[in-house]
Amino acid sequence: MVEFLTGLPGVEMLTPQGAFYAFPRITSSLTSDEMAERFAEAGVLVRSGSEFGPSGEGHIRISFATDVDSLKEGLVRFASTVRDMTRADARTN
């Protein structure tokens, strides 16, 4: 999970220190709440980073406490959604 997210363009992440959550920063003009909505539309449920305080804006929280097959499918959907968000930003800039 960490390797996948770290290597994904538009995603910045520190390695979690003992939890089964990742808290990546997504390069997007969308708010964390808007990003969470986009991910949900793609079938990936995440928490908005802004739920964890002002410094969480621009981040999302994603759990990787699930079976491997579900995790793989979720990561494919996650990557596709990030690509869509970054492409949309590139078109508007």
Side-chain angles (χ1 to χ4, degrees), residues 1-3 5-6 11-16 22-25:
M1 171 95 168
V2 172
E3 286 178 33
L5 291 175
T6 303
V11 176
E12 300 172 30
M13 193 179 96
L14 298 175
T15 301
F23 200 64
R25 178 171 185 72

Side-chain angles (χ1 to χ4, degrees), residues 32 35-37 39-40 44-48 51 60-63 78:
S32 292
M35 286 189 279
E37 289 175 19
F39 284 116
V44 180
L45 299 180
V46 301
R47 303 302 300 199
S48 168
E51 293 179 32
I60 55 95
R61 183 176 176 191
I62 186 168
S63 171
F78 183 90

Side-chain angles (χ1 to χ4, degrees), residues 15-54:
T15 301
Q17 300 296 309
F20 49 84
Y21 299 104
F23 200 64
R25 178 171 185 72
I26 311 296
T27 304
S28 175
S29 62
L30 299 175
T31 67
S32 292
D33 290 340
E34 292 168 331
M35 286 189 279
E37 289 175 19
R38 294 279 179 93
F39 284 116
E41 290 167 3
V44 180
L45 299 180
V46 301
R47 303 302 300 199
S48 168
S50 62
E51 293 179 32
F52 302 93

